[in-house]
Amino acid sequence: MKYTLLIDCDDKKGLIFKISKVLYEFDFNIETQQEFVDKENNKFFFRAVIVGDVDKEKLKEAILKEIPCANVRIYKKRKKRLFLMATKEAHALGDILIKWYSGDLDVEIVGVIANRDNLRDLVEKFDIPFYYIPAEGKSRVEHENEMLKIIEPTKPDFIILAKFMRILTPNFVERFPNKIINIHHSFLPAFIGANPYKQAYDRGVKIIGATAHFVNNNLDDGPIIEQDVIRVSHEMSWEEMRLQGRDIEKIVLSRAIKLAIEDRVFVYANKTIIL
Amino acid sequence: MKYTLLIDCDDKKGLIFKISKVLYEFDFNIETQQEFVDKENNKFFFRAVIVGDVDKEKLKEAILKEIPCANVRIYKKRKKRLFLMATKEAHALGDILIKWYSGDLDVEIVGVIANRDNLRDLVEKFDIPFYYIPAEGKSRVEHENEMLKIIEPTKPDFIILAKFMRILTPNFVERFPNKIINIHHSFLPAFIGANPYKQAYDRGVKIIGATAHFVNNNLDDGPIIEQDVIRVSHEMSWEEMRLQGRDIEKIVLSRAIKLAIEDRVFVYANKTIIL
Amino acid sequence: MKYTLLIDCDDKKGLIFKISKVLYEFDFNIETQQEFVDKENNKFFFRAVIVGDVDKEKLKEAILKEIPCANVRIYKKRKKRLFLMATKEAHALGDILIKWYSGDLDVEIVGVIANRDNLRDLVEKFDIPFYYIPAEGKSRVEHENEMLKIIEPTKPDFIILAKFMRILTPNFVERFPNKIINIHHSFLPAFIGANPYKQAYDRGVKIIGATAHFVNNNLDDGPIIEQDVIRVSHEMSWEEMRLQGRDIEKIVLSRAIKLAIEDRVFVYANKTIIL
Amino acid sequence: MKYTLLIDCDDKKGLIFKISKVLYEFDFNIETQQEFVDKENNKFFFRAVIVGDVDKEKLKEAILKEIPCANVRIYKKRKKRLFLMATKEAHALGDILIKWYSGDLDVEIVGVIANRDNLRDLVEKFDIPFYYIPAEGKSRVEHENEMLKIIEPTKPDFIILAKFMRILTPNFVERFPNKIINIHHSFLPAFIGANPYKQAYDRGVKIIGATAHFVNNNLDDGPIIEQDVIRVSHEMSWEEMRLQGRDIEKIVLSRAIKLAIEDRVFVYANKTIIL
């Protein structure tokens, strides 16, 4: 059996010694281990993949005995459950579907919700449940609650906003802290909000980008997980930027999903530590 | 009506004047125009997208009257016909299918051939004809001829090797000069041949890449259309490099396809000029 | 003799024909030619490097006869004159000095002004006049006028702000429209203003950048000439980002200088067209 | 006092526990710690920066008692001594000089040797000893021995080949194992040997690069420390590629130097592990 052990706590001398002592006494094989100290905030972060016959409660207890104030999480390696949300663009959603279909993304996709109906055909090709939940004539919260009724019973590990073009309210966001991953089609914090490609075109930038981040209550302001960019030139219209940007969007999103499902992403001070 | 006008010839004074005079006299709107002079080889390359009521033969005649030795091609803007070839990996093929399905790649896909059968299900989801042509027990030329019997009647503009893992012989290649586009999973000319990710891992490079090129009779030596790279580190196994490399492969291939179907790629001296 | 011919005007049919007719009749060799039409604003931009015995006034007259409303500029190829301004960091200034010293940057450096004195030693190693003009106890305009008294007699083609850490007022800026090039140490429009590396660190971005732009009257809002980026991680302090960012800053600045001195940069609608 | 502790040995269970136990018992502050296990070769690599009153011999003894077969190195943090070698190009050498001069590169430069004399003026501006050792009329070994007579007494930590355009023989190389860093002006292993920009131009690549590597006895085949790339196009002559490539060369070299002087680079199986 394989487990991921995540620990974070205030930094002090001897933390690695204490943790590795416990792991040694339990006689685990450590497949990989990383640690990071955020010196500005005096915080310690630790991730290990351990192999063995793990009694999660006993391990946790032993670590807490050594480091009483630690935040300890132990996850058995298993397929993570993703719920996808989209609007009408197929590129990010389609990339996830193909990666999942081919085995390159080792997850369960437990459902797809969209506020348009045009992606149904694509999703159903892959025998994944598709739910069309239009927003028209509903308050934001009503629309969200309708979606939550479908999402919550599926117990997703992560909710992936694969170009879901609506703003979620705290009513939705606060149920899934650091579990909702959005792809924003700009190099944040540049070009927050609507039509960032048009904004980028108007500003005359020479590089455009995409940003995958956890969603919090401030628009496009959540902890950034991954970013990437491509060069553009004066020859490109904003529609051309959008077209070329889609490849970056989908790849940045899929890299962020990979980091998340491998339990590599710590969030602290609205930033991510990736171990 | 929209046309692409492509001209190449030995460079000399006044070529642009002569071409633009003809276009002006025909009263075309020129949507975009680029030219390039390869000074090393004294060659002139010209591409224009022209809009109007074009009589292709008359236009060609008028240009040849001004520039007798020119190689003039005039293509009506239309959906190009792609024939895809693959083996067993889904990422490059799937990316083309999703782009085509969503309208981001404006082509006709006239068929898919593979020498394994596992991609059939994916291709048929999109209602595209799939042909499983195993190579076992056949000579290369026999296998190729079997494929040619399917491909040639579809009159493809381009044949896309979306991770087709077999070497094509001159028997096949010479029927489609500068029409077969391959994606090689390395930054050519580094790591020619089999398993370039393993070669890259063994050499300890810090960056890996992918190369889209026209196929000629020398292995991985055709004119390069597009390349891109990603950073890797000592932490990555070669299998992890392969996984991450797939995103670069598919994007480099799709950029090359876009350039090809827009008739932007001239080939000269085993290199590409992209206008 | 070699000349750069720059033309911009409202787009209409036949512009290239008319220009190339004039060039043909004058019997020039055209070394390189590019054109661009900004369809959104219906503007035409043209650049050619022409070789021959050019009478600038006659050529201009002939072009204006064909295209009366055109803005025509003809520059004889010569070493451009750069005036450099800095504060205390050596990397951008030093890079320019080394490139100039080795012949990789073919310009005349007519002087360096700084509002600190610590760069004097470096500049004087290269026998370039250094002027220390402190700002303390002076109004912005007084300080600027003191600098202008030194700069203006040198008749610079471009003023390069090689990490000059003060804001210039319209009093200064408006005398050199599209002639002052600044390097900003962020990927604009992200992180305008002071200490962008600290801002980037606090936001937790995964990529940082640098932007070279012409200076106008709005802080960090002038037309962007060139940008580039590097990856960063949670492991880097903002001081480490600053250190690594310096390499990008200096390279982006030197690319922008190269484009400017080759007369490749048109400015329109607060953006650059680079031919 | 600050020390870098480097350990490598065959991997087995409990190594981190044993090391951290020793460090804990010695009561050191650990500023940063990284470890890596090369699973293919079953090798363990460890690096820590420790702060405290270290008795190097006792610490080494204590670690070897726990892990008898380990290779343990303990370096006091101090300015590393660099000896630079060049031929005639100023960009890489100049970049090191400016970084050193401004304090961005915290080293001692103990001398510069060149087989041409034209860099003397630049080097002497910075009051660094310059030695012109021409190769003409000497065997390789004679030339090397002449250089070694100057270099060896300076006891350099690293020898930096800042575009030193001659091949060193085992006579020279074997005295400085993993201490000679070369910058090769291509993306190795592409374009080994002479004039890689011309080779890249002839092959028609769309991206060029630079590679910093330790020198071993096979030409351009040593362990790669760092690489980076830039895009090129058909419009660039090979001389233009060389000019633009210089910026990448110097930056890749300076990144490699930074990693080396911070004792971050392990060499194993002709590859580098960078902690």
Side-chain angles (χ1 to χ4, degrees), chain A residues 35-46:
Chain A
E35 58 279 322
F36 173 67
V37 176
D38 174 344
K39 288 187 200 312
E40 197 192 22
N41 296 299
N42 197 44
K43 285 283 166 192
F44 171 85
F45 301 90
F46 177 93

Side-chain angles (χ1 to χ4, degrees), chain D residues 183-231:
Chain D
I183 180 70
H184 183 72
H185 38 315
S186 86
F187 182 79
L188 288 175
F191 310 129
I192 287 168
N195 206 341
Y197 291 118
K198 184 67 168 57
Q199 292 184 52
Y201 172 83
D202 287 341
R203 181 62 187 89
V205 293
K206 301 300 184 187
I207 286 177
I208 58 172
T211 304
H213 62 93
F214 287 123
V215 175
N216 64 12
N217 286 330
N218 300 314
L219 180 61
D220 299 333
D221 189 45
I224 293 170
I225 305 168
E226 172 66 344
Q227 301 188 291
D228 211 341
V229 297
I230 50 169
R231 296 193 80 84

Side-chain angles (χ1 to χ4, degrees), chain C residues 120-135:
Chain C
R120 175 188 298 279
D121 173 63
L122 176 63
V123 173
E124 293 186 344
K125 281 184 199 309
F126 292 88
D127 298 319
I128 291 168
F130 178 88
Y131 308 91
Y132 166 44
I133 315 283

Side-chain angles (χ1 to χ4, degrees), chain B residues 18-245:
Chain B
K18 286 168 183 167
I19 295 167
S20 55
K21 183 161 78 99
V22 172
L23 296 177
Y24 187 69
E25 286 166 1
F26 273 71
D27 197 31
F28 295 133
N29 277 309
I30 300 174
E31 201 174 275
T32 178
Q33 168 182 332
Q34 299 97 12
E35 58 278 323
F36 173 68
V37 175
D38 174 345
K39 287 186 200 313
E40 197 191 22
N41 295 299
N42 197 44
K43 283 285 166 190
F44 171 85
F45 302 90
F46 176 94
R47 177 186 183 267
V49 176
I50 56 182
V51 184
D53 204 17
V54 177
D55 180 325
K56 285 165 62 171
E57 285 317 303
K58 280 194 181 155
L59 174 57
K60 193 167 176 173
E61 203 178 289
I63 293 169
L64 286 174
K65 206 178 141 197
E66 294 283 343
I67 317 170
C69 60
N71 174 26
V72 179
R73 291 170 290 161
I74 304 166
Y75 299 124
K76 198 169 158 178
K77 275 266 172 191
R78 60 165 177 78
K79 284 195 191 208
K80 293 290 161 75
R81 300 165 67 79
L82 305 189
F83 203 105
L84 312 182
M85 296 171 69
T87 294
K88 61 181 182 182
E89 288 170 284
H91 60 288
L93 183 65
D95 193 55
I96 294 170
L97 293 176
I98 295 284
K99 281 198 168 90
W100 164 79
Y101 176 82
S102 67
D104 284 354
L105 179 65
D106 192 26
V107 297
E108 238 179 293
I109 299 179
V110 293
V112 178
I113 276 178
N115 59 320
R116 294 277 183 281
D117 203 25
N118 67 304
L119 293 169
R120 174 188 297 280
D121 172 62
L122 177 63
V123 172
E124 293 187 344
K125 280 184 199 308
F126 292 88
D127 299 319
I128 291 169
F130 178 89
Y131 308 90
Y132 167 45
I133 315 283
E136 283 71 22
K138 301 165 193 165
S139 75
R140 272 187 197 284
V141 166
E142 280 168 3
H143 183 232
E144 286 176 358
N145 287 344
E146 208 177 323
M147 298 192 292
L148 285 167
K149 255 182 224 150
I150 295 164
I151 295 169
E152 287 192 320
T154 68
K155 298 188 185 311
D157 293 293
F158 295 100
I159 294 171
I160 310 300
L161 307 187
K163 302 287 284 180
F164 180 71
M165 304 309 283
R166 292 180 58 81
I167 295 167
L168 295 167
T169 77
N171 166 58
F172 190 105
V173 170
E174 287 171 2
R175 295 178 204 216
F176 307 101
N178 297 333
K179 288 177 171 304
I180 309 172
I181 298 175
N182 184 45
I183 181 71
H184 184 72
H185 38 316
S186 86
F187 182 78
L188 287 175
F191 310 130
I192 286 168
N195 206 341
Y197 290 118
K198 183 68 167 58
Q199 292 185 53
Y201 172 83
D202 288 340
R203 180 62 187 89
V205 293
K206 301 300 183 188
I207 286 176
I208 57 172
T211 304
H213 62 94
F214 287 121
V215 175
N216 64 13
N217 286 330
N218 300 315
L219 180 61
D220 299 333
D221 189 45
I224 293 170
I225 306 168
E226 171 65 345
Q227 302 187 290
D228 211 341
V229 297
I230 50 170
R231 295 193 80 84
V232 295
S233 84
H234 64 268
E235 295 181 26
M236 289 166 72
S237 65
W238 75 262
E239 293 89 349
E240 180 70 23
M241 288 183 187
R242 182 179 57 184
L243 194 63
Q244 295 206 16

Side-chain angles (χ1 to χ4, degrees), chain C residues 90-91 94-95 98-99 101-102 104 121-122 125-126 230 240 243-244 246-247 250-251 254-255 258, chain D residues 90-91 94-95 98-99 101-102 104 121-122 125-126 230 240 243 246-247 250-251 254-255 258:
Chain C
H91 59 288
D95 193 54
I98 295 285
K99 282 197 167 91
Y101 176 83
S102 67
D104 284 352
D121 173 63
L122 176 63
K125 281 184 199 309
F126 292 88
I230 49 169
E240 179 70 23
L243 194 62
Q244 296 206 16
R246 280 178 177 155
D247 274 342
K250 74 189 186 197
I251 283 178
S254 78
R255 285 186 199 146
K258 187 168 188 289
Chain D
H91 59 288
D95 193 54
I98 295 284
K99 281 197 167 89
Y101 175 83
S102 67
D104 284 353
D121 172 61
L122 176 63
K125 281 184 199 310
F126 291 89
I230 50 169
E240 180 69 23
L243 194 62
R246 281 178 177 156
D247 273 341
K250 74 189 186 196
I251 283 178
S254 78
R255 286 187 200 146
K258 188 169 187 289

Side-chain angles (χ1 to χ4, degrees), chain D residues 65-261:
Chain D
K65 207 178 141 196
E66 293 284 342
I67 316 168
C69 60
N71 175 25
V72 179
R73 291 170 290 160
I74 303 165
Y75 299 125
K76 199 168 158 180
K77 276 267 174 192
R78 60 163 177 78
K79 284 196 189 206
K80 293 291 161 78
R81 300 165 66 79
L82 304 190
F83 203 105
L84 312 182
M85 295 172 69
T87 294
K88 61 182 181 182
E89 288 170 284
H91 59 288
L93 183 65
D95 193 54
I96 294 169
L97 293 176
I98 295 284
K99 281 197 167 89
W100 165 79
Y101 175 83
S102 67
D104 284 353
L105 180 65
D106 192 28
V107 298
E108 236 180 294
I109 300 179
V110 293
V112 178
I113 276 178
N115 59 321
R116 295 277 182 281
D117 203 25
N118 68 303
L119 293 169
R120 174 187 297 281
D121 172 61
L122 176 63
V123 172
E124 293 186 344
K125 281 184 199 310
F126 291 89
D127 298 318
I128 291 169
F130 178 89
Y131 307 91
Y132 166 46
I133 316 283
E136 283 71 22
K138 302 166 192 164
S139 75
R140 272 188 197 283
V141 166
E142 281 168 2
H143 184 232
E144 286 177 357
N145 287 344
E146 209 177 323
M147 297 191 292
L148 285 167
K149 253 182 225 153
I150 295 164
I151 295 169
E152 288 191 320
T154 68
K155 297 189 186 308
D157 293 292
F158 295 100
I159 294 170
I160 309 301
L161 307 187
K163 304 286 286 181
F164 179 72
M165 303 310 282
R166 293 181 57 82
I167 294 167
L168 294 167
T169 77
N171 166 58
F172 190 105
V173 171
E174 286 170 4
R175 296 179 202 216
F176 306 102
N178 297 332
K179 288 179 171 302
I180 309 172
I181 298 175
N182 183 44
I183 180 70
H184 183 72
H185 38 315
S186 86
F187 182 79
L188 288 175
F191 310 129
I192 287 168
N195 206 341
Y197 291 118
K198 184 67 168 57
Q199 292 184 52
Y201 172 83
D202 287 341
R203 181 62 187 89
V205 293
K206 301 300 184 187
I207 286 177
I208 58 172
T211 304
H213 62 93
F214 287 123
V215 175
N216 64 12
N217 286 330
N218 300 314
L219 180 61
D220 299 333
D221 189 45
I224 293 170
I225 305 168
E226 172 66 344
Q227 301 188 291
D228 211 341
V229 297
I230 50 169
R231 296 193 80 84
V232 294
S233 84
H234 63 268
E235 294 180 27
M236 289 166 72
S237 66
W238 75 262
E239 292 90 348
E240 180 69 23
M241 289 184 188
R242 182 178 58 183
L243 194 62
Q244 296 206 15
R246 281 178 177 156
D247 273 341
I248 292 300
E249 292 172 27
K250 74 189 186 196
I251 283 178
V252 166
L253 179 59
S254 78
R255 286 187 200 146
I257 293 173
K258 188 169 187 289
L259 294 170
I261 63 172

Side-chain angles (χ1 to χ4, degrees), chain C residues 102-229:
Chain C
S102 67
D104 284 352
L105 179 65
D106 192 26
V107 297
E108 235 180 292
I109 299 179
V110 292
V112 179
I113 276 178
N115 59 321
R116 295 276 183 283
D117 204 24
N118 69 302
L119 294 169
R120 175 188 298 279
D121 173 63
L122 176 63
V123 173
E124 293 186 344
K125 281 184 199 309
F126 292 88
D127 298 319
I128 291 168
F130 178 88
Y131 308 91
Y132 166 44
I133 315 283
E136 283 72 22
K138 300 167 193 165
S139 75
R140 272 187 197 284
V141 166
E142 281 168 3
H143 184 233
E144 286 176 358
N145 286 344
E146 210 177 322
M147 296 191 293
L148 285 167
K149 252 181 228 153
I150 296 164
I151 296 169
E152 288 191 319
T154 67
K155 297 190 186 310
D157 292 293
F158 294 101
I159 294 171
I160 310 300
L161 307 187
K163 303 286 286 181
F164 179 70
M165 303 310 282
R166 294 180 57 81
I167 294 167
L168 295 167
T169 78
N171 166 59
F172 190 106
V173 171
E174 287 171 3
R175 296 179 202 216
F176 306 102
N178 297 332
K179 288 178 171 303
I180 309 173
I181 298 175
N182 184 44
I183 180 70
H184 183 73
H185 38 315
S186 86
F187 182 78
L188 287 176
F191 310 129
I192 286 168
N195 207 340
Y197 290 119
K198 184 67 167 57
Q199 292 184 54
Y201 172 82
D202 287 340
R203 181 62 187 90
V205 293
K206 301 300 184 188
I207 286 176
I208 58 173
T211 304
H213 62 93
F214 286 123
V215 175
N216 66 11
N217 286 329
N218 300 314
L219 180 61
D220 298 334
D221 190 45
I224 293 170
I225 305 166
E226 172 66 345
Q227 302 187 292
D228 212 340
V229 297

Side-chain angles (χ1 to χ4, degrees), chain A residues 34 90-91 94-95 97-99 101-105 118-122 125-127 228 230 235 240 243-244 246-248 250-251 254-255 258 262, chain B residues 34 90-91 94-95 97-99 101-105 118-122 125-127 228 230 235 240 243-244 246-248 250-251 254-255 258 262:
Chain A
Q34 300 96 14
H91 59 287
D95 193 55
L97 293 176
I98 295 285
K99 281 197 167 91
Y101 176 84
S102 67
D104 283 353
L105 180 66
N118 69 302
L119 293 169
R120 175 188 297 280
D121 173 61
L122 176 64
K125 280 184 199 308
F126 293 89
D127 298 318
D228 212 341
I230 49 169
E235 294 180 27
E240 180 70 23
L243 194 62
Q244 295 207 16
R246 281 178 176 154
D247 274 341
I248 292 300
K250 73 189 186 197
I251 282 177
S254 79
R255 285 187 199 146
K258 188 168 187 289
E262 293 178 353
Chain B
Q34 299 97 12
H91 60 288
D95 193 55
L97 293 176
I98 295 284
K99 281 198 168 90
Y101 176 82
S102 67
D104 284 354
L105 179 65
N118 67 304
L119 293 169
R120 174 188 297 280
D121 172 62
L122 177 63
K125 280 184 199 308
F126 292 88
D127 299 319
D228 211 341
I230 50 170
E235 295 181 26
E240 180 70 23
L243 194 63
Q244 295 206 16
R246 280 179 177 154
D247 273 341
I248 292 301
K250 73 189 186 197
I251 283 177
S254 79
R255 285 187 199 146
K258 188 169 188 290
E262 294 179 353

